Amino acid sequence: MEPKVQTAEPGLAVSEAENGRLLTVSGVWTILTANTAEKLIDTTVSKDAARRLVVDMKQIVQLDTAGAWLLHRLRADVEFAGGFVELKNVDPRYDVLFKEIERHNPRVVPRKPSKPSLVALFERTGELTVEIYRDALAICHILGSLALVLSWAITSPRRMRATSIAVQFDKSCIGAVPIVMLMSFLIGAIIAQQGGFYLRQFGADIFVVDLAGILVLREIGVILTAIMVAGRSGSAFTAELGSMKMREEIDALNVIGLRVTEVLILPRLLALMMSLPVLVFLANIAALFGAGLVCWWYLAIPPHAFMTQLQIAIDVETLLVGVVKAPFMALIIGLIACVEGMKVTGSAESLGQHTTMSVVKAIFLVIVVDGVFAMFFASIGV
């Protein structure tokens, strides 16, 4: 004999109580009556009333996940508006539904802005310190996993997934060439124009070539390229991994026995570490070409004079100082992007927040690493 399905209509009665309003929920609140129940809530309850609300569930005949979700959403809306909701006379069988829904979709109660104080400053500083510590642990975990995967790849080269690396190289390097070269061309032209504007007052026009060559090859070329790669490829890595985390694709990889580090993170990191030195080299060429055009047009320095002075000002060592930084910056950008992508939760807001944080942290650490390299090269006299 098949079980009888309850078809009674849901009910919702509102009455005034001493300390707020009393909502008496009755009837059947299931997936079959969800449309009626939702309309009933919308027309009966004023969700913007910031007051106490007591929901009496003693007269409920039947409740499933759909009905519990509607009541959970009602609680969230009222509490978000500044009110308070209390569930009363909840059957223990239905209480499990509310706890499970709350675990997957917790109600977000807006925090009242606190006044600036010394305690709040210390509290925020402590939170940031803990967050930095956790990010450092996550980066160390990924580095350890990468070392393990690379050690396996030495004995089994097939695990390197050359196809995935090639696809990521195409996205992060070949696709970025036009915008990187265009921006570098403009930056080189601006450096030459501004340097020539001031140096010509002292009759030192020719030293614009030294200024542009050394500045572009040692610092500006690699920093600007790394920043553009962080905004372009780093944000893409975070968005890709975050969307996979939201769709539970990463959990699926773990279930079938595949390592996320080996399948998703390693190809992206290796491709980015190969891409950035190539992009830096192309960016240097574009920036010097832009500087040469401006020197020719604005300072009347012909191309042959520009090339002659450039050969005097720079050498291979100057070029290598900038290119050597590129793989380390690429590694930092990739690690930050992957860590932030793995921290995404199930909401679109979380995806946007971590994508933004990925770009901000990557740019900050790129500048820090460049400063560390500058001190290192100065200490060894390069």
Side-chain angles (χ1 to χ4, degrees), residues 284-316:
N284 291 339
I285 294 176
L288 292 178
F289 183 72
L293 286 181
V294 170
C295 288
W296 189 14
W297 169 72
Y298 184 70
L299 301 174
I301 299 176
H304 64 87
F306 180 88
M307 294 300 299
T308 302
Q309 184 65 25
L310 187 63
Q311 292 176 6
I312 298 173
I314 66 173
D315 52 14
V316 177

Side-chain angles (χ1 to χ4, degrees), residues 131-147 261 265 269 328-343 357-358 361-362 364-365 369:
E131 183 180 355
I132 293 173
Y133 173 72
R134 291 174 178 173
D135 288 345
L137 283 182
I139 291 175
C140 291
H141 172 72
I142 292 179
L143 286 175
S145 300
L146 289 177
T261 306
I265 297 179
L269 287 180
F328 296 94
M329 293 183 177
L331 179 62
I332 290 173
I333 294 170
L335 287 173
I336 294 296
C338 293
V339 167
E340 291 295 325
M342 298 298 290
K343 288 164 61 176
M357 290 303 297
S358 169
K361 291 180 180 179
F364 172 76
L365 288 178
V369 169

